[in-house]
Amino acid sequence: MDENLGLALLRDLQQQSSRFHNTDEFMQYMKDADIALETVKNILLEDGPPEKVLQRCFHMLIVFYDADWCGALNADLDLDIFTPVWWEDAREGFLARTLFNEFEIPQKFSRWKNALKKKELVVIEDAEAIRDIYPEEYANYQRLDVHSVIGAPYYKGSTGFLVVRNPKRYMQQTLPLVMTSYIVAAETHDIRLMLATEHQFTSEDIREKNDVIISLFGGLTIATSIGTIQPKDISGRAIASIIAMMALDPEHGLPTYKIERDLYPDDYPGTLANRVKNQIYHFRKDFGSTFTSSLIETGPNGYFFSKDLNIRTDLQMFDNLIAQSKVATDPIRKAFLIRQAVKLYKGNVFPEAETEEWLRPVSMQYLERYLAAIYKLCELLYDQKDYSRIHEYVVQALKAAPEEEKLYYWMIISLRKRDMVELAKKALETAKNTLDEEYYDLLVEQLNGFRKP
C-alpha cells in the first residue's frame, strides 16, 4: 500500500509542478500533501467507529484544500437521487445544518451524473463561468453557496461523490481527495450494512444505562454506560479470572466450589471461601461506581451476574455474527458479517490465564473459529477480487497463528494477484523459515496447483 501511494504521489507531483508560480509554492504544496497523505495512511491503519473515521477524513480535506465544507453524497441512479449522508462544516462542525436538500435530483446536476457513470472527477474552479452554459446547475450552486467545487466519485461498496466545497487552494491537486474517497466508500457502506444488522454490538455501543459489555479477546475489558475497566486496571487480580470464568457462561451462575477448584487447585478447601469473597468485596469497593447495579451478586450456592444489568460478551457477539454469516446468501453481506466478527478478535481469550486448565480448551476453540472465519473471508474477498483486504486480514491473523500454512497461502496469492512478485517470494521464504518442513511442502504444493487449501 505504501509503495503504491508513493508512486502515485510522485506521478502527481511530476504532473502538477508546472502549475505553481514558484519553488516556494511548490515546496509548500509538497509539505501539505505529505501531511495529508500521512493522515490518510493513519486513518487506514487505525480502527474505530465508522463515523469517527469519516469525520477525520472530512476534517483533513477541509484543512488541505482550505475549504468551507466537505461531505459524502451517496447516489442512487436507479431512483435518480443524490443524498447527503455524512459531512463536516468548517465553522459549524460535524453534521451541522446543511444547505443540501434531503434528496437532490441528479438531473439538475447532469455533469455530475455523467461523471459518476464514467468514474471521472468533477472540478469547477469558478461557478460563474458556467452561468450561461448550465443555468439550472448554476442556480443550484447559488442555493448551495458554491463558488468552486471538486468531487471525486466512489463506487466500491457505496456509490456517490466525496465533495469539497469552495476550496481556496490546490484545486488541481486531487490525489488526497481521490485516495480518501475509497475510505469514505468503505465506511459509508459499512455503516449502512451495520444499521441493517440486528444485534450488532461493540464495546463502543453502550446504548442503555444498564448495558454491560464484557470483552475477553486480548484481555478482560468491561464497558458500561458510566465508564470502562481496562485490562491494566484489573490485570493480575484473581477477580479478573473469576469474572472471565463467569463470562464464559453469563446466563448462569458459577458455583463457589468451581471457582475454588479451578483458581486454587493446590490450596486447602477450608481457606478458599473467604479468599473468593475477599476478591469480590474489593472489586465492588474499587469499581462499584462503574455499574448501575452490582455486577456480581451472591446466591445460595455461588455467584451470578446481576439480572438488573444487560450483559453481553464479545464471545457471544462473535458467535452470533458467524452464525448470521452462515445463513446470509448475499456474498457481500456474508463478508461484512465475518469482517465484523474477526474485528472483535483482538487476541486469545483472556490471555493471562490461557494456559490454565479451565480456559485452555475455550481459548483453542475460539482461535480455531477465528481462523476458520479468516479462511472463509479470504475466499469471499478473492471472489470479489479484493486482494488488498486479503493481505490485511492475513497479516493480522499471522500474529495469532504464525505457523498456519494456509495464512501464508492466502498472503502469497494476494501478492501475486497484485503483481508484487518480489514480495511474494519474500513471503514464501518467511514461510520456509517458520513452518515445519511437511507444512511448507504442503504450502508449495497448494501454490503450485493454485488450489484453495
Tab-separated table of all heavy atoms in Angstrom, residues 5 8-37 63-65 169-179:
chain	number	residue	atom	x	y	z
A	5	LEU	N	1.190	4.185	-2.890
A	5	LEU	CA	0.893	5.581	-2.581
A	5	LEU	C	2.057	6.465	-2.979
A	5	LEU	O	1.879	7.560	-3.511
A	5	LEU	CB	0.595	5.739	-1.088
A	5	LEU	CG	-0.667	5.069	-0.558
A	5	LEU	CD1	-0.844	5.383	0.915
A	5	LEU	CD2	-1.881	5.508	-1.323
A	8	ALA	N	2.159	6.915	-6.748
A	8	ALA	CA	1.065	7.796	-7.177
A	8	ALA	C	1.382	9.244	-6.856
A	8	ALA	O	1.134	10.148	-7.667
A	8	ALA	CB	-0.241	7.369	-6.498
A	9	LEU	N	1.934	9.463	-5.673
A	9	LEU	CA	2.281	10.830	-5.285
A	9	LEU	C	3.360	11.396	-6.194
A	9	LEU	O	3.301	12.553	-6.607
A	9	LEU	CB	2.753	10.855	-3.825
A	9	LEU	CG	3.214	12.213	-3.290
A	9	LEU	CD1	2.093	13.246	-3.420
A	9	LEU	CD2	3.656	12.098	-1.845
A	10	LEU	N	4.362	10.561	-6.533
A	10	LEU	CA	5.443	11.026	-7.409
A	10	LEU	C	4.900	11.426	-8.766
A	10	LEU	O	5.257	12.478	-9.310
A	10	LEU	CB	6.499	9.917	-7.558
A	10	LEU	CG	7.708	10.243	-8.450
A	10	LEU	CD1	8.459	11.451	-7.890
A	10	LEU	CD2	8.627	9.036	-8.559
A	11	ARG	N	4.023	10.606	-9.328
A	11	ARG	CA	3.435	10.947	-10.629
A	11	ARG	C	2.632	12.235	-10.539
A	11	ARG	O	2.669	13.080	-11.429
A	11	ARG	CB	2.547	9.797	-11.111
A	11	ARG	CG	3.312	8.576	-11.583
A	11	ARG	CD	2.401	7.632	-12.358
A	11	ARG	NE	1.357	7.091	-11.516
A	11	ARG	CZ	1.476	5.955	-10.841
A	11	ARG	NH1	2.586	5.262	-10.911
A	11	ARG	NH2	0.475	5.517	-10.107
A	12	ASP	N	1.882	12.363	-9.435
A	12	ASP	CA	1.082	13.572	-9.248
A	12	ASP	C	1.966	14.812	-9.173
A	12	ASP	O	1.665	15.847	-9.774
A	12	ASP	CB	0.245	13.441	-7.978
A	12	ASP	CG	-0.683	14.621	-7.772
A	12	ASP	OD1	-1.681	14.728	-8.497
A	12	ASP	OD2	-0.399	15.444	-6.896
A	13	LEU	N	3.066	14.710	-8.445
A	13	LEU	CA	3.968	15.853	-8.311
A	13	LEU	C	4.587	16.229	-9.658
A	13	LEU	O	4.716	17.407	-9.997
A	13	LEU	CB	5.068	15.533	-7.297
A	13	LEU	CG	4.621	15.399	-5.838
A	13	LEU	CD1	5.794	14.964	-4.968
A	13	LEU	CD2	4.040	16.699	-5.324
A	14	GLN	N	4.983	15.233	-10.430
A	14	GLN	CA	5.572	15.496	-11.734
A	14	GLN	C	4.593	16.192	-12.670
A	14	GLN	O	4.950	17.101	-13.418
A	14	GLN	CB	6.054	14.180	-12.354
A	14	GLN	CG	7.247	13.571	-11.626
A	14	GLN	CD	7.557	12.171	-12.105
A	14	GLN	OE1	6.716	11.486	-12.712
A	14	GLN	NE2	8.780	11.714	-11.853
A	15	GLN	N	3.344	15.779	-12.607
A	15	GLN	CA	2.330	16.356	-13.484
A	15	GLN	C	1.919	17.757	-13.059
A	15	GLN	O	1.588	18.608	-13.876
A	15	GLN	CB	1.098	15.446	-13.514
A	15	GLN	CG	1.347	14.085	-14.158
A	15	GLN	CD	0.186	13.134	-13.950
A	15	GLN	OE1	-0.820	13.476	-13.339
A	15	GLN	NE2	0.334	11.907	-14.441
A	16	GLN	N	1.932	17.974	-11.737
A	16	GLN	CA	1.354	19.213	-11.235
A	16	GLN	C	2.376	20.321	-10.943
A	16	GLN	O	1.977	21.465	-10.720
A	16	GLN	CB	0.577	18.918	-9.931
A	16	GLN	CG	-0.519	17.885	-10.064
A	16	GLN	CD	-1.615	18.311	-11.032
A	16	GLN	OE1	-1.759	19.490	-11.334
A	16	GLN	NE2	-2.371	17.349	-11.534
A	17	SER	N	3.661	20.013	-10.923
A	17	SER	CA	4.657	21.011	-10.519
A	17	SER	C	4.617	22.262	-11.387
A	17	SER	O	4.880	23.377	-10.917
A	17	SER	CB	6.058	20.388	-10.541
A	17	SER	OG	6.363	19.931	-11.848
A	18	SER	N	4.263	22.096	-12.663
A	18	SER	CA	4.243	23.245	-13.571
A	18	SER	C	3.117	24.228	-13.247
A	18	SER	O	3.117	25.359	-13.749
A	18	SER	CB	4.089	22.756	-15.019
A	18	SER	OG	2.865	22.048	-15.173
A	19	ARG	N	2.173	23.850	-12.411
A	19	ARG	CA	1.049	24.727	-12.099
A	19	ARG	C	1.374	25.751	-11.029
A	19	ARG	O	0.573	26.644	-10.767
A	19	ARG	CB	-0.154	23.884	-11.631
A	19	ARG	CG	-0.691	22.937	-12.702
A	19	ARG	CD	-1.862	22.142	-12.164
A	19	ARG	NE	-2.408	21.229	-13.162
A	19	ARG	CZ	-3.331	21.554	-14.058
A	19	ARG	NH1	-3.819	22.790	-14.061
A	19	ARG	NH2	-3.772	20.679	-14.933
A	20	PHE	N	2.525	25.616	-10.388
A	20	PHE	CA	2.882	26.533	-9.315
A	20	PHE	C	3.719	27.681	-9.851
A	20	PHE	O	4.507	27.524	-10.780
A	20	PHE	CB	3.632	25.783	-8.212
A	20	PHE	CG	2.776	24.743	-7.524
A	20	PHE	CD1	2.743	23.433	-7.989
A	20	PHE	CD2	1.986	25.078	-6.437
A	20	PHE	CE1	1.952	22.488	-7.383
A	20	PHE	CE2	1.194	24.131	-5.816
A	20	PHE	CZ	1.177	22.829	-6.299
A	21	HIS	N	3.542	28.846	-9.242
A	21	HIS	CA	4.219	30.045	-9.717
A	21	HIS	C	5.703	30.050	-9.395
A	21	HIS	O	6.512	30.612	-10.141
A	21	HIS	CB	3.559	31.299	-9.123
A	21	HIS	CG	2.147	31.496	-9.591
A	21	HIS	ND1	1.058	31.153	-8.812
A	21	HIS	CD2	1.650	31.964	-10.767
A	21	HIS	CE1	-0.059	31.423	-9.482
A	21	HIS	NE2	0.278	31.915	-10.672
A	22	ASN	N	6.074	29.446	-8.276
A	22	ASN	CA	7.481	29.452	-7.892
A	22	ASN	C	7.774	28.231	-7.027
A	22	ASN	O	6.880	27.472	-6.652
A	22	ASN	CB	7.831	30.747	-7.143
A	22	ASN	CG	6.906	30.981	-5.953
A	22	ASN	OD1	6.788	30.134	-5.079
A	22	ASN	ND2	6.246	32.149	-5.943
A	23	THR	N	9.064	28.089	-6.729
A	23	THR	CA	9.515	26.923	-5.960
A	23	THR	C	8.938	26.900	-4.554
A	23	THR	O	8.597	25.838	-4.029
A	23	THR	CB	11.053	26.912	-5.887
A	23	THR	OG1	11.580	26.897	-7.207
A	23	THR	CG2	11.551	25.675	-5.136
A	24	ASP	N	8.814	28.077	-3.933
A	24	ASP	CA	8.283	28.129	-2.576
A	24	ASP	C	6.862	27.591	-2.510
A	24	ASP	O	6.495	26.858	-1.583
A	24	ASP	CB	8.323	29.562	-2.041
A	24	ASP	CG	9.736	30.019	-1.744
A	24	ASP	OD1	10.627	29.146	-1.603
A	24	ASP	OD2	9.955	31.239	-1.650
A	25	GLU	N	6.033	27.975	-3.497
A	25	GLU	CA	4.666	27.468	-3.539
A	25	GLU	C	4.657	25.946	-3.699
A	25	GLU	O	3.877	25.237	-3.059
A	25	GLU	CB	3.884	28.095	-4.683
A	25	GLU	CG	3.415	29.518	-4.416
A	25	GLU	CD	2.486	30.017	-5.512
A	25	GLU	OE1	2.083	29.194	-6.364
A	25	GLU	OE2	2.175	31.206	-5.506
A	26	PHE	N	5.532	25.460	-4.574
A	26	PHE	CA	5.587	24.029	-4.822
A	26	PHE	C	6.053	23.268	-3.579
A	26	PHE	O	5.505	22.213	-3.241
A	26	PHE	CB	6.523	23.756	-5.991
A	26	PHE	CG	6.607	22.300	-6.372
A	26	PHE	CD1	5.467	21.598	-6.753
A	26	PHE	CD2	7.812	21.622	-6.341
A	26	PHE	CE1	5.522	20.266	-7.099
A	26	PHE	CE2	7.887	20.285	-6.689
A	26	PHE	CZ	6.744	19.603	-7.066
A	27	MET	N	7.048	23.804	-2.875
A	27	MET	CA	7.543	23.161	-1.671
A	27	MET	C	6.472	23.149	-0.573
A	27	MET	O	6.351	22.187	0.175
A	27	MET	CB	8.806	23.864	-1.173
A	27	MET	CG	10.004	23.724	-2.113
A	27	MET	SD	10.440	21.990	-2.437
A	27	MET	CE	10.973	21.469	-0.818
A	28	GLN	N	5.683	24.226	-0.488
A	28	GLN	CA	4.611	24.265	0.490
A	28	GLN	C	3.559	23.207	0.177
A	28	GLN	O	3.027	22.546	1.068
A	28	GLN	CB	3.962	25.653	0.530
A	28	GLN	CG	2.863	25.805	1.593
A	28	GLN	CD	3.388	25.601	3.004
A	28	GLN	OE1	4.428	26.148	3.371
A	28	GLN	NE2	2.663	24.805	3.800
A	29	TYR	N	3.262	23.069	-1.130
A	29	TYR	CA	2.312	22.031	-1.523
A	29	TYR	C	2.833	20.649	-1.140
A	29	TYR	O	2.090	19.804	-0.611
A	29	TYR	CB	2.054	22.067	-3.030
A	29	TYR	CG	1.409	20.792	-3.523
A	29	TYR	CD1	0.094	20.471	-3.156
A	29	TYR	CD2	2.113	19.877	-4.302
A	29	TYR	CE1	-0.489	19.292	-3.574
A	29	TYR	CE2	1.528	18.706	-4.721
A	29	TYR	CZ	0.224	18.414	-4.354
A	29	TYR	OH	-0.349	17.236	-4.753
A	30	MET	N	4.119	20.407	-1.394
A	30	MET	CA	4.691	19.102	-1.056
A	30	MET	C	4.566	18.825	0.447
A	30	MET	O	4.232	17.709	0.858
A	30	MET	CB	6.162	19.040	-1.475
A	30	MET	CG	6.382	19.008	-2.979
A	30	MET	SD	8.135	18.852	-3.404
A	30	MET	CE	8.520	17.242	-2.760
A	31	LYS	N	4.794	19.847	1.252
A	31	LYS	CA	4.672	19.696	2.699
A	31	LYS	C	3.231	19.381	3.094
A	31	LYS	O	2.963	18.458	3.873
A	31	LYS	CB	5.155	20.961	3.402
A	31	LYS	CG	5.038	20.916	4.910
A	31	LYS	CD	5.516	22.224	5.531
A	31	LYS	CE	5.340	22.192	7.056
A	31	LYS	NZ	5.783	23.468	7.678
A	32	ASP	N	2.289	20.149	2.539
A	32	ASP	CA	0.879	19.939	2.865
A	32	ASP	C	0.384	18.587	2.366
A	32	ASP	O	-0.399	17.905	3.049
A	32	ASP	CB	0.025	21.055	2.266
A	32	ASP	CG	0.299	22.406	2.908
A	32	ASP	OD1	0.760	22.435	4.067
A	32	ASP	OD2	0.063	23.434	2.248
A	33	ALA	N	0.831	18.200	1.173
A	33	ALA	CA	0.420	16.907	0.616
A	33	ALA	C	0.967	15.759	1.453
A	33	ALA	O	0.282	14.749	1.673
A	33	ALA	CB	0.906	16.772	-0.829
A	34	ASP	N	2.198	15.908	1.932
A	34	ASP	CA	2.794	14.867	2.775
A	34	ASP	C	1.996	14.684	4.061
A	34	ASP	O	1.737	13.562	4.499
A	34	ASP	CB	4.241	15.231	3.094
A	34	ASP	CG	4.931	14.126	3.885
A	34	ASP	OD1	5.082	13.016	3.362
A	34	ASP	OD2	5.317	14.381	5.036
A	35	ILE	N	1.584	15.800	4.663
A	35	ILE	CA	0.776	15.736	5.888
A	35	ILE	C	-0.559	15.055	5.603
A	35	ILE	O	-1.034	14.207	6.366
A	35	ILE	CB	0.558	17.150	6.461
A	35	ILE	CG1	1.884	17.732	6.965
A	35	ILE	CG2	-0.478	17.119	7.594
A	35	ILE	CD1	1.799	19.186	7.369
A	36	ALA	N	-1.180	15.442	4.480
A	36	ALA	CA	-2.477	14.863	4.124
A	36	ALA	C	-2.377	13.365	3.888
A	36	ALA	O	-3.203	12.586	4.376
A	36	ALA	CB	-3.039	15.564	2.883
A	37	LEU	N	-1.346	12.943	3.155
A	37	LEU	CA	-1.211	11.525	2.842
A	37	LEU	C	-0.836	10.713	4.075
A	37	LEU	O	-1.252	9.556	4.222
A	37	LEU	CB	-0.180	11.327	1.735
A	37	LEU	CG	-0.577	11.933	0.384
A	37	LEU	CD1	0.531	11.769	-0.630
A	37	LEU	CD2	-1.852	11.286	-0.130
A	63	VAL	N	-8.860	21.038	5.737
A	63	VAL	CA	-7.591	21.708	6.035
A	63	VAL	C	-6.702	21.764	4.800
A	63	VAL	O	-6.132	22.809	4.473
A	63	VAL	CB	-6.872	20.982	7.189
A	63	VAL	CG1	-5.453	21.547	7.373
A	63	VAL	CG2	-7.657	21.126	8.481
A	64	PHE	N	-6.590	20.646	4.084
A	64	PHE	CA	-5.696	20.602	2.926
A	64	PHE	C	-6.130	21.581	1.838
A	64	PHE	O	-5.302	22.306	1.277
A	64	PHE	CB	-5.646	19.183	2.355
A	64	PHE	CG	-4.782	19.049	1.131
A	64	PHE	CD1	-3.403	18.995	1.244
A	64	PHE	CD2	-5.347	19.004	-0.138
A	64	PHE	CE1	-2.600	18.897	0.118
A	64	PHE	CE2	-4.558	18.902	-1.271
A	64	PHE	CZ	-3.177	18.846	-1.150
A	65	TYR	N	-7.421	21.598	1.542
A	65	TYR	CA	-7.915	22.454	0.460
A	65	TYR	C	-8.338	23.840	0.945
A	65	TYR	O	-8.741	24.669	0.119
A	65	TYR	CB	-9.092	21.773	-0.245
A	65	TYR	CG	-8.685	20.571	-1.069
A	65	TYR	CD1	-8.953	19.275	-0.620
A	65	TYR	CD2	-8.020	20.719	-2.285
A	65	TYR	CE1	-8.578	18.170	-1.368
A	65	TYR	CE2	-7.642	19.619	-3.039
A	65	TYR	CZ	-7.918	18.342	-2.564
A	65	TYR	OH	-7.544	17.252	-3.305
A	169	ARG	N	-7.404	26.555	-2.412
A	169	ARG	CA	-6.076	26.228	-2.929
A	169	ARG	C	-6.053	24.773	-3.405
A	169	ARG	O	-6.936	23.969	-3.076
A	169	ARG	CB	-5.005	26.431	-1.854
A	169	ARG	CG	-5.189	25.520	-0.630
A	169	ARG	CD	-4.095	25.737	0.382
A	169	ARG	NE	-4.188	24.743	1.468
A	169	ARG	CZ	-3.320	24.640	2.462
A	169	ARG	NH1	-2.283	25.477	2.511
A	169	ARG	NH2	-3.457	23.717	3.395
A	170	TYR	N	-5.057	24.434	-4.194
A	170	TYR	CA	-4.743	23.080	-4.630
A	170	TYR	C	-5.894	22.403	-5.370
A	170	TYR	O	-6.066	21.180	-5.305
A	170	TYR	CB	-4.343	22.194	-3.444
A	170	TYR	CG	-3.185	22.718	-2.636
A	170	TYR	CD1	-3.101	22.458	-1.266
A	170	TYR	CD2	-2.152	23.453	-3.211
A	170	TYR	CE1	-2.037	22.923	-0.496
A	170	TYR	CE2	-1.086	23.936	-2.453
A	170	TYR	CZ	-1.037	23.670	-1.100
A	170	TYR	OH	0.023	24.129	-0.341
A	171	MET	N	-6.691	23.160	-6.113
A	171	MET	CA	-7.843	22.553	-6.774
A	171	MET	C	-7.459	21.499	-7.794
A	171	MET	O	-8.221	20.567	-8.060
A	171	MET	CB	-8.707	23.624	-7.435
A	171	MET	CG	-9.530	24.434	-6.459
A	171	MET	SD	-10.934	25.234	-7.259
A	171	MET	CE	-11.934	23.847	-7.738
A	172	GLN	N	-6.288	21.651	-8.394
A	172	GLN	CA	-5.864	20.684	-9.398
A	172	GLN	C	-5.083	19.516	-8.792
A	172	GLN	O	-4.738	18.567	-9.490
A	172	GLN	CB	-5.013	21.381	-10.466
A	172	GLN	CG	-5.754	22.446	-11.254
A	172	GLN	CD	-6.934	21.884	-12.015
A	172	GLN	OE1	-6.903	20.742	-12.474
A	172	GLN	NE2	-7.992	22.675	-12.154
A	173	GLN	N	-4.791	19.613	-7.510
A	173	GLN	CA	-4.057	18.546	-6.834
A	173	GLN	C	-5.068	17.619	-6.145
A	173	GLN	O	-5.396	17.802	-4.976
A	173	GLN	CB	-3.062	19.127	-5.814
A	173	GLN	CG	-1.785	19.677	-6.432
A	173	GLN	CD	-2.026	20.933	-7.251
A	173	GLN	OE1	-2.693	21.846	-6.787
A	173	GLN	NE2	-1.488	20.988	-8.450
A	174	THR	N	-5.546	16.643	-6.877
A	174	THR	CA	-6.700	15.857	-6.434
A	174	THR	C	-6.352	14.514	-5.796
A	174	THR	O	-7.245	13.785	-5.382
A	174	THR	CB	-7.634	15.605	-7.628
A	174	THR	OG1	-6.885	14.967	-8.676
A	174	THR	CG2	-8.224	16.908	-8.144
A	175	LEU	N	-5.064	14.177	-5.697
A	175	LEU	CA	-4.695	12.867	-5.168
A	175	LEU	C	-5.231	12.618	-3.752
A	175	LEU	O	-5.814	11.559	-3.496
A	175	LEU	CB	-3.174	12.697	-5.198
A	175	LEU	CG	-2.642	11.338	-4.696
A	175	LEU	CD1	-3.203	10.198	-5.519
A	175	LEU	CD2	-1.124	11.311	-4.723
A	176	PRO	N	-5.070	13.556	-2.795
A	176	PRO	CA	-5.630	13.292	-1.462
A	176	PRO	C	-7.137	13.046	-1.484
A	176	PRO	O	-7.648	12.199	-0.753
A	176	PRO	CB	-5.276	14.567	-0.672
A	176	PRO	CG	-4.064	15.102	-1.360
A	176	PRO	CD	-4.289	14.815	-2.816
A	177	LEU	N	-7.851	13.784	-2.336
A	177	LEU	CA	-9.297	13.614	-2.428
A	177	LEU	C	-9.647	12.244	-2.992
A	177	LEU	O	-10.534	11.550	-2.470
A	177	LEU	CB	-9.896	14.718	-3.307
A	177	LEU	CG	-11.413	14.693	-3.494
A	177	LEU	CD1	-12.112	14.981	-2.175
A	177	LEU	CD2	-11.846	15.693	-4.554
A	178	VAL	N	-8.954	11.846	-4.054
A	178	VAL	CA	-9.240	10.555	-4.689
A	178	VAL	C	-8.958	9.409	-3.725
A	178	VAL	O	-9.752	8.473	-3.586
A	178	VAL	CB	-8.411	10.397	-5.977
A	178	VAL	CG1	-8.545	8.974	-6.526
A	178	VAL	CG2	-8.866	11.408	-7.027
A	179	MET	N	-7.816	9.481	-3.041
A	179	MET	CA	-7.463	8.417	-2.102
A	179	MET	C	-8.482	8.319	-0.968
A	179	MET	O	-8.899	7.233	-0.576
A	179	MET	CB	-6.069	8.669	-1.536
A	179	MET	CG	-4.959	8.473	-2.543
A	179	MET	SD	-3.378	8.995	-1.865
A	179	MET	CE	-3.358	8.074	-0.351
